[in-house]
Amino acid sequence: MQVLSTTDSSVLYDYNVKGKMLIAVCVSICAMFLTVIEPLCLMFAASFIYVLMTRRYRVVFVSYFFMVLMMGLSVACVNFLSVYMPILKDSATLSKMAVPFMRGSCVMNVVLPMALTIRVQNLLKTLQSLHLPLIIYLPGAVMIRFVPTFINDIKQVYESMKIRGFEFSLKNIVRHPILLLRLSFTPLVFMTLRSSEDLGIACDLKGIGNNRQCSYKNSSLKHHDYIFILIGILICIASLYLEHASGGSYVTVHGGRP
């Protein structure tokens, strides 16, 4: 498997794996309870700054491009269905449709830094230190490392399309959709299957499951890790407080407004 070309220019490489995983878990759980735009905007702004700290701007741009594309398709489908099902008209507004996608964007903003700035050995050592069974932390490690591997596969497919003379433009996408699927989707599926198999083999070669792994780096939390975790927890608390103060639908159903 081709070695991924990552750079250590991001300051997030200096932070502990446990802190990044804890932030991802807290934000993911907190996002489920947010139903109002104001607290979601707060969490989105903070998490967006966090993902920009990876300095992988192209990856962030492509991720948001597909996120906006999916949101546009969802809004179009709901508006089309509301013509024949009037009961969906209240749910077809842009503000209500934006809530689930903002939740997903917040989760994506905390998962991408974890996947792009965590080294494999540190990730495996941290997951194993949680005393999780092999059947849980091995697929978790493979899934997290699959993100940068999948990005690298997309880059290879894009370069191969350029070599074949296919210009990736809106005009060619509209005029030659079948050719685009044949040159991009099909090889990407096979490369993804190969990469997932290679990741599993890599985990076996690293001695996963024999409880004899060792690391030359100290994996304990440092002062800046505690500050990083504290900031993340405070942002989650502030978002939940805004949700409570704004009288979100979750608060209304489970206890009413203050």
Side-chain angles (χ1 to χ4, degrees):
M1 181 174 60
Q2 183 178 352
V3 179
L4 299 177
S5 57
T6 58
T7 175
D8 293 0
S9 59
S10 174
V11 297
L12 294 179
Y13 281 96
D14 299 330
Y15 289 88
N16 195 281
V17 179
K18 298 177 182 178
K20 299 174 187 176
M21 294 176 61
L22 181 60
I23 292 297
V25 171
C26 291
V27 172
S28 301
I29 295 176
C30 182
M32 293 190 301
F33 299 99
L34 301 181
T35 59
V36 185
I37 293 295
E38 289 79 6
L40 280 171
C41 287
L42 173 62
M43 179 167 288
F44 173 79
S47 61
F48 187 70
I49 295 174
Y50 177 43
V51 73
L52 289 180
M53 293 174 63
T54 60
R55 305 187 69 175
R56 303 288 294 274
Y57 305 117
R58 181 176 298 180
V59 174
V60 175
F61 173 78
V62 173
S63 301
Y64 271 96
F65 172 78
F66 285 104
M67 180 69 72
V68 172
L69 181 62
M70 288 189 297
M71 181 178 178
L73 291 175
S74 300
V75 172
C77 291
V78 173
N79 280 287
F80 176 77
L81 292 175
S82 64
V83 176
Y84 303 96
M85 301 175 63
I87 195 175
L88 296 177
K89 286 186 177 181
D90 293 337
S91 302
T93 59
L94 184 60
S95 59
K96 291 186 177 180
M97 292 291 296
V99 170
F101 285 95
M102 290 192 68
R103 290 175 179 171
S105 298
C106 293
V107 175
M108 182 181 68
N109 289 341
V110 295
V111 170
L112 279 179
M114 183 176 63
L116 297 176
T117 62
I118 290 181
R119 296 177 177 86
V120 181
Q121 191 66 30
N122 295 338
L123 173 63
L124 297 175
K125 188 69 177 178
T126 301
L127 291 175
Q128 192 178 31
S129 65
L130 299 176
H131 303 290
L132 298 174
L134 178 65
I135 196 174
I136 294 179
Y137 81 81
L138 179 58
V142 173
M143 285 188 294
I144 294 175
R145 280 307 298 174
F146 180 76
V147 175
T149 306
F150 182 67
I151 294 174
N152 187 68
D153 291 340
I154 294 177
K155 291 180 180 179
Q156 293 184 16
V157 172
Y158 178 73
E159 292 296 330
S160 66
M161 292 174 63
K162 290 175 60 177
I163 293 175
R164 293 186 178 187
F166 185 87
E167 184 180 356
F168 197 85
S169 62
L170 182 60
K171 179 181 178 181
N172 287 334
I173 293 175
V174 175
R175 294 181 59 185
H176 308 287
I178 305 300
L179 180 61
L180 176 63
L181 289 176
R182 185 171 64 86
L183 294 179
S184 61
F185 183 76
T186 303
L188 188 60
V189 170
F190 286 99
M191 293 180 68
T192 301
L193 294 175
R194 185 206 62 186
S195 298
S196 60
E197 183 179 358
D198 291 343
L199 287 173
I201 295 175
C203 290
D204 290 336
L205 294 177
K206 288 180 178 294
I208 306 301
N210 60 7
N211 297 322
R212 295 180 181 178
Q213 295 185 63
C214 60
S215 177
Y216 65 92
K217 291 186 177 181
N218 187 7
S219 60
S220 59
L221 295 174
K222 300 179 181 179
H223 293 291
H224 61 272
D225 294 312
Y226 287 109
I227 296 175
F228 172 68
I229 295 173
L230 179 61
I231 293 175
I233 294 176
L234 289 177
I235 292 174
C236 291
I237 294 174
S239 300
L240 292 175
Y241 175 78
L242 282 177
E243 173 74 15
H244 185 268
S246 302
S249 59
Y250 181 84
V251 176
T252 303
V253 175
H254 299 80
R257 295 189 63 172

